[in-house]
Amino acid sequence: MTLSPQLTNGEQTPRYWYFSTARGSVPAFKSELKQRLPQLRPSYSSGGFLTYKQDGAAVSSAVMRKLIFAGTCVEAMGKLDGGNPKSFWEMAVPVLQRELEPQRRFCLHVWSPDLGGCGEPALTPEVRRLFHEISAEVPAALAERLEPTPEAREGQLCLDVIVTADGTWWLGRHRADSLHRRFPGGLFPLTPAPDAASRAWLKFEEGLWWSGFPIGIGSRCADIGAAPGGGSQALLSRGAEVLGVDPAEMTPSVLRSPNFRHLRGKISALRRSEFLKTRWIIADMNVAPSYTLDALEEIVLRPKMAVRGLLFTMKLFSLAMAADIPAYIRRIKSWGFNQVRVRQLTFNHQEVMAAALKKPFRR
Ligand SMILES: C[S@@+](CC[C@H](N)C(=O)[O-])C[C@H]1O[C@@H](n2cnc3c(N)ncnc32)[C@H](O)[C@@H]1O
């Protein structure tokens, strides 16, 4: 399958692609791209914004979607030095005429790898201002079809205006064909809840949305490396029952929840029978991935255990560890989890999130 086949590039040959990645992950992103999409050659890049030229073979949308270190990717339409809304619409209108299906609406994604960046709110005041300025200039014939907010619906055509520090506008378009591609720059729009016990609340909220795991009222979960309790809060707010494993103290509000039980201690010291009813495990220990994987394996492979899904962080203490991710995925699959995805989420810093699911699930 090629990426959005209806997005033919008109007169612009060769094709270019624009990517964003967390600034600290640039080398990992580059080596991932070299391996997964060898037909793309590096072109201009600045910080976490990278442009690539396509040589030959079509680019698979499935491969694009599975990239671990890409925040988002956009098919290039061109660039404007010192951009302005009028010139943007002059370039965008022919693309919309060609590619926007009748009766469908489209979205405008204005973002900046320099203003936002991984882990920061995507819509900074500057980006918001530009979004409104560009929206206000939409040609009358398209005004009704431009969504008023940048959050795209599944499958919607999005026009991208990527503003880099030197004032250049890089114009592109993409289909919102995954959760992250629905948002400008692929940045998941979440601000910390006022009562969040830790920043980990952000990454587990995002991780639960991204995984699509059906965790809800009464779901039996374990949270390994639970303290101070952001991840447990994300589960509790969905109505789950949570066993929190950690030698450290939990936030009092989490401890007060009738659906939370604290198993105080290291995971290695606990009786495995504690997890007999557990169906979902989240884990977030500040240890090497091999330790986290050992701990999870030790639980999920025990007789009588029936764990359906895992959502856990793997810390990359050095970026060279990114090269081990394929071996980690193979190991997780060998436990019977047939759907395994790994991604550096918006709120993961020096780590990635893994989501592993048994589908269908049989006890
Ligand atoms: C990054 S913090 C976790 C944040 C937490 N997930 C949250 O949502 O607030 C890492 C935690 O892992 C715990 N940890 C480290 N090694 C552990 C082990 N062997 N067993 C259980 N917890 C462990 C630490 O005590 C620490 O509280």
Side-chain angles (χ1 to χ4, degrees), residues 32-250:
E32 182 182 28
L33 216 68
K34 195 170 170 184
Q35 220 182 356
R36 306 297 313 275
L37 293 168
Q39 69 271 51
L40 298 189
R41 303 251 167 267
S43 186
Y44 171 83
S45 70
S46 159
F49 175 65
L50 303 98
T51 72
Y52 279 79
K53 182 177 164 186
Q54 183 179 333
D55 279 345
V59 168
S60 150
S61 58
V63 172
M64 277 290 194
R65 273 200 302 271
K66 282 187 199 154
L67 291 172
I68 296 168
F69 292 100
T72 195
C73 64
V74 162
E75 185 172 354
M77 291 179 347
K79 67 174 179 144
L80 296 169
D81 300 321
N84 63 74
K86 251 196 173 63
S87 328
F88 165 72
W89 287 113
E90 274 164 23
M91 287 185 87
V93 167
V95 173
L96 290 169
Q97 282 168 343
R98 216 169 43 229
E99 294 163 13
L100 187 62
E101 303 87 344
Q103 318 300 331
R104 292 289 299 272
R105 294 163 71 86
F106 68 100
C107 257
L108 178 63
H109 281 185
V110 184
W111 52 281
S112 166
D114 306 300
L115 297 175
C118 185
E120 304 302 327
L123 297 183
T124 59
E126 167 129 31
V127 161
R128 269 180 211 280
R129 183 179 58 74
L130 274 178
F131 172 81
H132 290 299
E133 272 179 32
I134 300 172
S135 298
E137 298 278 335
V138 62
L142 288 165
E144 296 270 285
R145 301 176 70 185
L146 172 62
E147 293 283 4
T149 65
E151 185 176 322
R153 271 168 286 169
E154 188 83 32
Q156 220 166 18
L157 178 66
C158 304
L159 298 180
D160 289 81
V161 180
I162 307 155
V163 186
T164 45
D166 60 0
T168 305
W169 288 19
W170 304 77
L171 312 183
R173 80 276 214 192
H174 70 276
R175 290 273 167 192
D177 58 3
S178 69
L179 175 71
H180 285 87
R181 278 156 66 86
R182 291 175 48 206
F183 307 109
L187 295 173
F188 192 71
L190 204 58
T191 45
D195 63 343
S198 61
R199 272 190 67 82
W201 176 82
L202 289 163
K203 65 191 181 195
F204 279 106
E205 265 300 317
E206 183 186 7
L208 288 165
W209 280 99
W210 167 67
S211 67
F213 287 172
I215 293 180
I217 294 168
S219 298
R220 295 210 167 98
C221 303
D223 179 1
I224 304 172
S232 290
Q233 284 176 318
L235 295 171
L236 291 167
S237 69
R238 286 164 171 75
E241 294 173 17
V242 183
L243 280 179
V245 179
D246 204 303
E249 263 182 52
M250 297 297 300

Side-chain angles (χ1 to χ4, degrees), residues 269-283:
L270 294 174
R271 283 181 301 142
R272 294 299 174 251
S273 55
E274 296 281 8
F275 302 104
L276 278 174
K277 291 184 175 165
T278 297
R279 297 290 171 267
W280 304 97
I281 299 180
I282 70 169

Side-chain angles (χ1 to χ4, degrees), residues 198 200 204 225-231 245-248 265-267 284-287 291:
S198 61
F204 279 106
V245 179
D246 204 303
K266 288 196 168 192
I267 184 65
D284 182 33
M285 289 180 281
N286 43 3
V287 296
Y291 183 99

